[in-house]
Amino acid sequence: MNILLGGLLAVAAADTLWLQNDRLRLGFDPTNGSLLELADRASGQSFVDGRRATAIWRLDGLGPGALRVVPSAARRFFWHEVAGGGPGLALVWSDFGLNEAPGLRVTATVRLLGDSALSEWRIAVDSPGAMAIEQVRFPRLTGIPQLGSGEELAVPRWMGALARDPATLLAGPDGKGRRLEWAYPGTLSLQVMALYRRGGAGLYAAADDTLAYRKTFAIWGDSDGSRGYELIHPLENPASPRRQWALAYAALLGTFHGDWITVAERYRAWGTRQPWARESRLVRGRVPDWLLRTGMWVWNRGRSAGVVPPALALQRALGLPVNIYWHWWHHGPYDTSFPDYLPPREGVDSFRAGVAAAHAAGSHAMVYMNQRLWCTGTPSWASEHAAHWAVKEKDGRVREETYNVFDPQPCATMDVTTPFWRAKYAGIADTVLDGYGVDGIYMDQAVQSLVCWDSTHGHPVGGGNYWMGGFRALAAQIRAAAAPGRQVLLAGEGAGEPWLPELDLMLTLQVSQERYSDPSSGWEPIPFFQAVYHAYGVTYGNYSSLVMPPYDELWPAQFAPPPPGPLELLDTRFRRQFYLEQARAFVWGLQPTIANFRASQLTDRPEETAYMMRLARIRARVLEYLLYGTFLRPPELSVPSVDVDLSRVSIYAARRGGPTVSVARYPAAIAGAWRAAEGSVAIAVASIVDEPTSVSFAFDPAAYGLAQGGQIERIDEGGRRPFGEFSSTVVPIALELPAGGAYVLEFRRSRRP
């Protein structure tokens, strides 16, 4: 039986119901709705195992031991064509024989999106009766095969993470399989992930939610080497009776050819048309002017004497504005005393004087304030009855987190939707901003969302999109309290598209991943978020440091490092790691940052400090690319790989044991490519070695929209100079980078005026 759907053929054969176009082919079992095929038609690669049926959904009941409903439990199934909106099928399951839900019906609707390689998946649950559904898993794929050599897994875990060996990663340490999952909005900055073979076919899994509903993307490996994927949707008020629940957005499944940059380009075409992009603070011109002029951030900790003078010394040496990212200014010890930040540990007058000294020199400061933690050992926890306004688990317990490895005291996660917590946090922020003269607040853990089960907080319990509403209200409350015309900077830890209209600045620390994560984790950082939203939000951050980490003077004395104490200079063997971190920030379009800086480092580590200042000065000459530009696919550099000694020591990492040194191979130079708003293109190249390096690559003008030809200029910290011309043909580019060298090559259709 052949059925023509919207000009595309759906074929109900004896064993398969096909929904297909020229690029994508979906096959379902017409007797039970199982997915038999999800195939890229150009390559023939299928992303499910047709030999075993895939149940595309599961309903999970609320509570331990609760009922799980799967498609095979239905005693009746039928399908029908869906009219309008492109070719599609409705798959309908009913008659589950459940006493608590006798009329239960589940309908999954699958459509092809025009002639693209994407399909749209929606689900509705009718007549659940007395069944309390906690979450719906949809769509679900099982039996995803290994894709062979060159397979990669790309996940927008905040800035972005790439696994170059997903088979080993998903097999787990015992080879029996491992499950990985990430929440959105929060740890996932984008609603997409991709599994592919580089240069071959890949699976694209996404959602098109513009309202920031809580969801979890999951991928897992099975003991036989196959994989699974599912998107999990927690329901609002799962215990409340309802006649129907329908997914408020669509899940997307499709195929592509390429790599993570291909995925970013596809997602960018959608994401930059959404409200968070149109309303981003950078696009609307709402970010503070001084943020845009920032030449470098100094991330220092403690009293003003160890924070402000080093930043001003660097500013004098650099010749560009240096701003201060200030931790440990607060009254109590870090990670055990929040939110009892006031007064500053050095006293109000001394702290104000430090801020004033920064302002007098043209520098600005933002201070650390955790956006969601209230440590339960603080006197204020009991005296202000804060437990009532904390996030609750399903069993009613306060949700707690513990971070301090030297004094492991728990902290409660506070519910940002509650007026109580917003007033508490905004009140402290007002004192810091207006009372102390600070220019901004760094809101640690801001780019996260949580599920709360406290029905007295005024939001739905369980799933929903209430968290972002609470954060928007908090940001507005802080800014509304500022003096008229005062530019208040709000920064957040991590990156996430729903926060673009609220935050001026986002911390993307993954450029320094090697300093705090296991070198054998299987992940490497990629600028996934910047590849999508660089022109819509400012990012910064780096653990890049030339010294051992600091130790809070208020932490237990018995764990303090022995003489010479904290901030001891690291061995110069780690120079390449420092270069790598600074180079990533440079070519990936972040504002540069150095942590734990002291003025003495200008003379004690002249090569490293000269390198970071060189990159900052070059960046300042090309802000149309490295601040406002759109990410492009960088050229493949012909450059040798080198060994890089890595120091894995940060505030907590490896401080109580564990490996601290490893070696890995990296290219001796890395590159990024950017397009300015007027169409010109820049290739940023930075060496990570302290000897001269030859770098070459092929520049294809047509691939960058410059097929008409034009001029090339080379930009370094000293200025611009002509480098050559290009026509419509591929141009071979050869660069001789000096030790620790960096250049930007600008390709323009016409000369600058």
Side-chain angles (χ1 to χ4, degrees):
M1 176 176 64
N2 291 347
I3 302 174
L4 197 64
L5 300 181
L8 300 179
L9 191 63
V11 182
D15 56 355
T16 308
L17 173 64
W18 297 108
L19 185 62
Q20 62 190 40
N21 60 20
D22 289 341
R23 302 179 68 184
L24 180 66
R25 177 176 167 115
L26 302 174
F28 297 90
D29 188 321
T31 66
N32 59 26
S34 296
L35 181 65
L36 301 176
E37 185 169 309
L38 191 166
D40 173 71
R41 299 204 69 183
S43 65
Q45 175 68 58
S46 181
F47 292 94
V48 295
D49 185 350
R51 295 169 298 179
R52 53 183 184 183
T54 293
I56 62 173
W57 57 264
R58 191 177 95 188
L59 312 182
D60 293 345
L62 179 65
L67 184 67
R68 293 178 175 178
V69 180
V70 294
S72 60
R75 293 182 290 205
R76 182 167 185 258
F77 169 78
F78 68 95
W79 64 271
H80 63 85
E81 177 185 353
V82 178
L89 296 171
L91 310 169
V92 186
W93 296 261
S94 60
D95 191 9
F96 290 88
L98 299 174
N99 292 332
E100 59 267 60
L104 178 65
R105 184 173 76 251
V106 178
T107 304
T109 305
V110 183
R111 292 183 183 273
L112 298 179
L113 294 183
D115 59 358
S116 75
L118 281 176
S119 57
E120 177 186 272
W121 298 60
R122 297 181 181 272
I123 190 168
V125 180
D126 288 287
S127 303
M131 180 183 177
I133 303 171
E134 180 180 353
Q135 59 189 19
V136 174
R137 301 169 186 260
F138 172 84
R140 300 188 81 236
L141 304 179
T142 57
I144 302 172
Q146 295 191 23
L147 303 179
S149 176
E151 185 182 53
E152 296 179 349
L153 172 65
V155 179
R157 191 179 62 193
W158 275 350
M159 186 174 84
L162 181 70
R164 293 195 185 271
D165 184 7
T168 299
L169 179 71
L170 296 175
D174 58 4
K176 296 180 180 179
R178 170 191 278 156
R179 179 184 176 90
L180 302 171
E181 56 182 46
W182 304 273
Y184 175 95
T187 303
L188 282 193
S189 58
L190 318 169
Q191 304 169 73
V192 67
M193 58 187 296
L195 179 70
Y196 58 89
R197 184 174 61 82
R198 179 177 284 274
L203 174 67
Y204 181 97
D208 68 358
D209 174 17
T210 62
L211 299 176
Y213 277 87
R214 174 82 175 193
K215 61 186 70 67
T216 299
F217 286 73
I219 188 169
W220 64 90
D222 292 322
S223 57
D224 64 358
S226 66
R227 300 80 176 280
Y229 161 80
E230 65 184 6
L231 187 54
I232 306 169
H233 318 273
L235 272 63
E236 296 177 321
N237 297 322
S240 298
R242 51 168 49 91
R243 289 187 295 179
Q244 185 195 60
W245 173 85
L247 192 60
Y249 47 89
L252 302 174
L253 291 174
T255 62
F256 68 98
H257 285 249
D259 57 12
W260 71 266
I261 298 176
T262 314
V263 173
E265 290 169 341
R266 174 185 280 182
Y267 191 88
R268 182 171 69 199
W270 173 80
T272 55
R273 299 197 311 268
Q274 305 314 313
W276 50 64
R278 296 194 304 268
E279 298 168 11
S280 85
R281 292 185 62 79
L282 182 61
V283 167
R284 290 186 297 157
R286 300 289 182 86
V287 303
D289 297 336
W290 61 264
L291 172 63
L292 302 177
R293 296 192 300 268
T294 300
M296 183 169 285
W297 287 95
V298 165
W299 181 357
N300 277 9
R301 302 169 186 256
R303 301 166 189 262
S304 57
V307 174
V308 176
L312 300 187
L314 180 57
Q315 181 170 268
R316 290 190 295 271
L318 177 62
L320 294 169
V322 171
N323 294 319
I324 300 166
Y325 174 32
W326 196 336
H327 279 225
W328 301 2
W329 63 277
H330 40 76
H331 186 72
Y334 182 67
D335 272 349
T336 61
S337 65
F338 306 152
D340 294 348
Y341 298 105
L342 308 180
R345 63 179 59 182
E346 66 185 275
V348 172
D349 291 342
S350 177
F351 183 76
R352 280 180 178 152
V355 174
H359 288 167
S363 181
H364 296 78
M366 66 175 177
V367 296
Y368 176 101
M369 283 176 49
N370 192 290
Q371 182 265 321
R372 75 180 196 192
L373 292 185
W374 198 317
C375 299
T376 58
T378 57
S380 61
W381 171 256
S383 65
E384 298 186 40
H385 308 288
H388 181 70
W389 308 106
V391 171
K392 304 302 192 306
E393 305 281 14
K394 276 186 286 188
D395 61 5
R397 289 182 299 111
V398 169
R399 184 184 182 279
E400 294 181 337
E401 298 173 345
T402 302
Y403 292 99
N404 194 316
V405 302
F406 307 110
D407 185 16
Q409 297 188 33
C411 299
T413 49
M414 301 304 292
D415 186 343
V416 74
T417 73
T418 63
F420 171 85
W421 173 243
R422 293 200 302 267
K424 174 71 175 180
Y425 190 92
I428 301 168
D430 184 53
T431 298
V432 169
L433 293 165
D434 287 351
Y436 301 164
V438 167
D439 303 285
I441 305 292
Y442 166 74
M443 307 169 77
D444 200 29
Q445 296 188 296
V447 185
Q448 292 278 16
S449 70
L450 294 173
V451 170
C452 178
W453 294 87
D454 193 327
S455 61
T456 69
H457 287 182
H459 60 69
V461 299
N465 63 350
Y466 46 86
W467 197 268
M468 281 308 307
F471 188 87
R472 281 191 291 271
L474 174 61
Q477 189 169 343
I478 293 171
R479 290 194 167 101
R486 171 107 191 266
Q487 291 186 317
V488 170
L489 179 137
L490 295 181
E493 180 191 18
E497 60 192 8
W499 282 269
L500 286 168
E502 320 306 331
L503 294 176
D504 303 287
L505 184 63
M506 295 180 176
L507 179 75
T508 51
L509 269 185
Q510 287 75 20
V511 291
S512 293
Q513 174 182 298
E514 293 83 0
R515 284 196 194 255
Y516 59 84
S517 68
D518 184 347
S520 62
S521 69
W523 295 100
E524 64 183 70
I526 53 174
F528 209 154
F529 183 79
Q530 285 85 353
V532 176
Y533 290 119
H534 182 264
Y536 297 84
V538 184
T539 57
Y540 81 112
N542 218 315
Y543 265 145
S544 184
S545 175
L546 297 169
V547 296
M548 290 290 289
Y551 188 85
D552 192 338
E553 61 185 336
L554 303 179
W555 284 345
Q558 65 265 36
F559 299 119
L567 303 181
E568 178 186 3
L569 281 168
L570 286 168
D571 194 290
T572 55
R573 65 184 285 200
F574 301 115
R575 177 178 296 159
R576 286 180 176 176
Q577 180 180 13
F578 182 86
Y579 284 8
L580 174 65
E581 294 165 318
Q582 294 291 334
R584 283 172 173 165
F586 172 66
V587 304
W588 291 348
L590 283 69
Q591 288 190 334
T593 305
I594 183 171
N596 312 317
F597 180 75
R598 293 293 180 266
S600 58
Q601 293 169 19
L602 293 168
T603 52
D604 292 339
R605 290 290 184 268
E607 292 86 358
E608 290 92 332
T609 52
Y611 179 83
M612 73 176 187
M613 290 192 289
R614 179 177 307 120
L615 299 188
R617 291 178 186 130
I618 298 172
R619 175 187 174 274
R621 294 181 178 276
V622 290
L623 294 184
E624 64 268 43
Y625 303 105
L626 297 184
L627 177 60
Y628 299 107
T630 297
F631 181 94
L632 302 174
R633 179 180 296 278
E636 291 193 20
L637 300 187
S638 177
V639 64
S641 292
V642 296
D643 286 335
V644 176
D645 288 324
L646 302 171
S647 167
R648 181 179 171 260
V649 179
S650 59
I651 297 299
Y652 294 138
R655 298 299 292 276
R656 300 293 304 275
T660 59
V661 177
S662 61
V663 180
R665 300 280 290 176
Y666 294 90
I670 60 175
W674 301 91
R675 175 178 288 117
E678 43 75 29
S680 57
V681 171
I683 308 294
V685 182
S687 167
I688 68 163
V689 296
D690 50 7
E691 60 257 8
T693 305
S694 297
V695 175
S696 62
F697 62 90
F699 181 83
D700 182 355
Y704 292 97
L706 297 173
Q708 303 93 331
Q711 287 77 40
I712 311 171
E713 288 187 331
R714 194 190 79 185
I715 303 157
D716 59 23
E717 60 183 325
R720 296 172 172 269
R721 64 195 66 189
F723 187 79
E725 297 182 346
F726 65 97
S727 62
S728 60
T729 59
V730 175
V731 186
I733 301 291
L735 289 173
E736 297 300 324
L737 292 175
Y743 296 123
V744 169
L745 292 184
E746 184 181 57
F747 297 78
R748 304 182 64 87
R749 292 191 181 94
S750 59
R751 291 189 184 276
R752 283 179 170 268

